[in-house]
Amino acid sequence: MAQAPMDAIALLKADHRKVEDLFAKFESAKGDGAKRKLAEQICMELTIHTQIEEDIFYPACEGKVEEDLLKEAYVEHDGAKVLIAQIEAGGPDDEFYDAKVKVLSEEIEHHVEEEEKRVEGMFAQAKKAGLDMDALGEQMAAEKERLMSRYKKDGLPTPKTTTFTAPGPA
Ligand SMILES: [Fe+2]
Ligand SMILES: [Fe+2]
């Protein structure tokens, strides 16, 4: 469906708000069916979001954004992927299911803050460095659409970590 084009930061922030909303809904959800559906949506959104950041946005930030911050972002993504794989492989009747979703939401909350923080956050630094946010936004929107239709059809792939070898789902 046609959408008004968003610049890179608007697109990524909209994703963040969407996932925050899904986490809030999960927290108040009653019943296993509702929880599973929300958790699956969270995993889908986060998988696509981390992927477009790692494939498109972060590489564009290379050399323009504090290196430590960028490196930490990759490690934080990888931490999230471990929990996403666990949640994907499990279900609401697992003893630690809700805890995993909660811890994932806390990790993401921290990560989003590092990206969105005023002045020294990643997005603020990238903007200051003059990245072409319109072009990046367009690229990411197209990639998002492509991944969404693929994953809806085939299911989510096992997440690939960049910074360490993660143990697979138990
Ligand atoms: Fe993000
Ligand atoms: Fe990120």
Side-chain angles (χ1 to χ4, degrees):
M1 203 187 295
Q3 271 180 333
M6 271 195 267
D7 73 48
I9 291 176
L11 182 146
L12 294 174
K13 280 186 173 176
D15 279 0
H16 293 166
R17 301 293 87 79
K18 182 165 188 190
V19 165
E20 282 163 6
D21 180 58
L22 289 168
F23 276 125
K25 285 193 172 123
F26 182 92
E27 200 142 339
S28 56
K30 303 263 179 293
D32 286 0
K35 280 189 179 181
R36 184 188 288 273
K37 202 166 164 246
L38 286 161
E40 276 171 8
Q41 257 180 292
I42 289 167
C43 290
M44 169 78 84
E45 290 293 334
L46 286 177
T47 298
I48 294 173
H49 182 80
T50 51
Q51 207 170 332
I52 61 171
E53 282 186 338
E54 288 182 29
D55 291 346
I56 299 166
F57 193 75
Y58 289 2
C61 289
E62 210 72 57
K64 318 248 181 203
V65 160
E66 226 176 295
E67 202 190 341
D68 287 355
L69 189 65
L70 205 49
K71 281 187 172 161
E72 286 162 30
Y74 281 106
V75 177
E76 286 168 0
H77 277 195
D78 282 355
K81 288 172 204 168
V82 174
L83 283 171
I84 289 168
Q86 287 282 320
I87 292 162
E88 273 285 305
D93 49 351
D94 290 359
E95 190 185 355
F96 292 105
Y97 192 73
D98 286 20
K100 285 170 182 169
V101 174
K102 177 74 185 174
V103 171
L104 179 63
S105 81
E106 289 167 348
E107 285 185 5
I108 294 297
E109 190 185 335
H110 164 83
H111 178 74
V112 161
E113 203 192 319
E114 298 280 298
E115 289 184 338
E116 292 192 14
K117 222 187 292 177
R118 284 165 153 271
V119 191
E120 78 263 44
M122 190 196 292
F123 295 171
Q125 288 188 35
K127 205 169 175 178
K128 201 172 162 207
L131 290 196
D132 187 344
M133 296 301 178
D134 289 332
L136 289 168
E138 209 175 299
Q139 249 180 293
M140 286 194 287
E143 182 63 359
K144 237 184 106 165
E145 212 168 297
R146 192 181 73 82
L147 292 173
M148 187 70 83
S149 62
R150 188 208 283 181
Y151 295 161
K152 275 190 177 152
K153 190 160 78 63
D154 301 338
L156 287 184
T158 308
K160 274 203 232 36
T161 48
T162 313
T163 65
F164 57 78
T165 308

